[in-house]
Amino acid sequence: MKIPVNTASHQYEVVIGNDILTSAIDSLCEQLPKVDKIIVFTDQNVWDAGGDYFSENFPLPFEVFVMPPGEECKSFENYKAAHTFLINNQCTRKSLLMAFGGGAVGDLTGFVAATYMRGIPFVQIPTTILAHDSAVGGKTAINHPEGKNLIGAFYQPKAVIYDIHFLSSLSEREVRSGMAEVIKHAMISDEKWLQELMLIDSITNIPSDQLASYLKAGIEVKAKIVAEDETEQSVRKYLNLGHTYGHAIEAAAGYGGLAHGEAVVIGLVYTLLLSERYGKVTREFTKSFLQFAYNNGYPFEAVSKYTFETLESFLVKDKKVEYGDLQFVLLNTIGNPFIQSIEISECREIDLEYRALLMEVCK
Ligand code: NAD
Ligand code: ZN
């Protein structure tokens, strides 16, 4: 299956399917100008889990740079090491970088590609469910010790090759985390789809064909938004649904405390509570969503570990603060997002409501 992504700056395709690595790389190389070298960036976990399949099925010669796993690869140190690797391998502007891994590898590789010799081509080969989101749309970044994703660029890949074969080695926690962005894509686009997801018994045990169709639907939502607004001036902000409060709790929990998607689902419930005030979302719906997410193992107990004052200190650091107020994505109805600026005092009120609701629902 192919999904076109047409941004203002570039056009490319997402190819998704099972066991497609070889055919997708072959057809990509027919389309791209000749490259002098292929360098694969990956992380230790991804390489341990999928390196054999990758090497057996990748149809061309390549060099591999194996990085520290997950978020650790988005450090300044690793960013420098990655450039050093390219320099030592005499890479030129005609060299092609491959990001083989989850969102962390994708973000790091994209930013290295954006900056090595002022920009070389790169391809995303995502290996997590979450990366159906992060691999599409061209946001690349590394972390600063003061905050996540603060250093980065918009830089589109030449293609995204999503071989869902790689997903089979993901831990249950990573599947749960990744499904958060699928749920988010449903929430901003399609009430029926969200209801279908909420009827699934176990979000971490979806049969692979069904999962592939959800991932395709999620990519289509993202591709449509990115086509309209590549650099987040308007509708692309909708993709941040759940991420304002989510990022605050993710930051409070510190490195390794919460997976990104776990924090996002916690943020989605917060967003629903705000949407009851500013939109037409009902308390009944918020409760049923919370019940569904709680039943599926999203770690809502995290909320009670932090005071609002702790979360507040992270909320105000958010990139989405504009002229002092917090910019939240809210829902008028499911599938119909809008942006609303909210004062910190109201954030505190909703936080209190949230804690009371958790006591009521998550027993
Ligand atoms: P990740 O890349 O850290 O991967 C999660 C963990 O799973 C890591 O330990 C990784 O080594 C391991 N892993 C990855 N694939 C595996 C596989 N197939 N089998 C076994 N283990 C595997 O995290 P993620 O959840 O994919 O992405 C989160 C990152 O993405 C964050 O850094 C976040 O900032 C970024 N992100 C970026 C965007 C964007 O638009 N650029 C959007 C959302 C998130
Ligand atoms: Zn996210």
Side-chain angles (χ1 to χ4, degrees):
M1 292 186 284
K2 288 184 177 173
I3 306 153
V5 186
N6 301 308
T7 71
S9 71
H10 285 95
Q11 273 111 52
Y12 54 98
E13 273 179 344
V14 182
V15 191
I16 175 171
N18 205 357
D19 291 322
I20 53 151
L21 183 65
T22 315
S23 59
I25 295 285
D26 278 338
S27 71
L28 176 70
C29 288
E30 282 166 23
Q31 294 159 33
L32 287 184
K34 213 169 158 0
V35 301
D36 63 6
K37 204 164 274 164
I38 296 177
I39 305 284
V40 176
F41 281 6
T42 187
D43 79 23
Q44 193 66 56
N45 295 340
V46 175
W47 197 242
D48 288 348
D52 287 347
Y53 173 90
F54 187 95
S55 301
E56 280 158 26
N57 291 281
F58 198 87
L60 298 163
F62 65 89
E63 299 291 332
V64 61
F65 179 57
V66 182
M67 308 183 288
E71 210 59 29
E72 280 179 67
C73 78
K74 288 172 69 173
S75 67
F76 269 97
E77 294 72 29
N78 185 57
Y79 173 73
K80 182 179 175 192
H83 276 289
T84 306
F85 186 87
L86 297 182
I87 296 163
N88 289 345
N89 278 278
Q90 283 108 34
C91 289
T92 70
R93 283 212 182 119
K94 298 219 177 318
S95 306
L96 177 63
L97 261 184
M98 300 269 171
F100 174 49
V105 168
D107 279 9
L108 174 280
T109 308
F111 190 52
V112 171
T115 47
Y116 184 72
M117 295 190 171
R118 301 192 183 85
I120 62 170
F122 88 112
V123 170
Q124 293 269 17
I125 307 179
T127 62
T128 61
I129 291 177
L130 186 132
H132 88 281
D133 180 13
S134 60
V136 179
K139 274 193 186 177
T140 75
I142 58 170
N143 299 328
H144 188 280
E146 291 294 319
K148 253 182 79 129
N149 296 334
L150 290 179
I151 322 288
F154 286 98
Y155 193 67
Q156 302 291 340
K158 293 291 173 201
V160 180
I161 296 173
Y162 201 2
D163 189 337
I164 61 168
H165 176 101
F166 292 118
L167 303 180
S168 55
S169 55
L170 287 173
S171 67
E172 185 182 337
R173 187 176 184 205
E174 292 304 338
V175 173
R176 184 181 297 115
S177 172
M179 286 307 294
E181 305 283 5
V182 176
I183 294 166
K184 176 197 80 181
H185 283 137
M187 233 185 219
I188 58 174
S189 69
D190 185 347
E191 182 169 13
K192 275 206 186 112
W193 178 22
L194 181 66
Q195 277 167 353
E196 188 183 324
L197 291 173
M198 285 169 64
L199 288 173
I200 294 173
D201 280 339
S202 165
I203 208 95
T204 52
N205 279 307
I206 301 174
S208 78
D209 283 359
Q210 187 64 54
L211 180 61
S213 85
Y214 290 145
L215 293 172
K216 176 171 178 273
I219 292 166
E220 281 166 348
V221 171
K222 179 136 191 194
K224 184 163 174 266
I225 288 179
V226 170
E228 238 180 282
D229 174 22
E230 182 175 7
T231 55
E232 200 164 313
Q233 308 302 311
S234 59
V235 293
R236 186 159 183 172
K237 294 193 168 109
Y238 297 159
L239 295 167
N240 294 326
L241 188 81
H243 282 62
T244 310
Y245 192 83
H247 275 156
I249 199 142
E250 189 178 3
Y255 176 68
L258 280 175
H260 177 70
E262 291 176 333
V264 168
V265 167
I266 291 171
L268 288 176
V269 175
Y270 187 90
T271 301
L272 289 174
L273 286 170
L274 266 172
S275 302
E276 290 175 15
R277 290 197 185 186
Y278 289 90
K280 300 191 189 76
V281 171
T282 62
R283 176 55 59 98
E284 193 191 353
F285 179 81
T286 306
K287 271 192 193 175
S288 67
F289 181 80
L290 173 56
Q291 190 70 60
F292 149 77
Y294 180 63
N295 292 347
N296 274 286
Y298 288 97
F300 289 95
E301 67 281 1
V303 177
S304 62
K305 288 190 191 153
Y306 312 101
T307 62
F308 179 73
E309 285 62 38
T310 302
L311 299 181
E312 182 183 356
S313 66
F314 292 107
L315 276 173
V316 296
K317 271 197 208 162
D318 196 276
K319 289 202 284 306
K320 291 172 283 294
V321 177
E322 277 177 23
Y323 312 113
D325 279 348
L326 285 152
Q327 302 295 309
F328 275 86
V329 185
L330 303 183
L331 296 167
N332 187 15
T333 55
I334 302 303
N336 290 297
F338 64 98
I339 307 286
Q340 177 71 45
S341 85
I342 304 282
E343 287 181 15
I344 203 79
S345 57
E346 189 165 25
C347 293
R348 182 193 309 268
E349 282 171 39
I350 298 289
D351 177 81
L352 268 176
E353 264 183 51
Y354 196 177
R355 289 166 199 263
L357 188 70
L358 288 172
M359 299 281 272
E360 188 188 331
V361 176
C362 307
K363 287 181 202 136

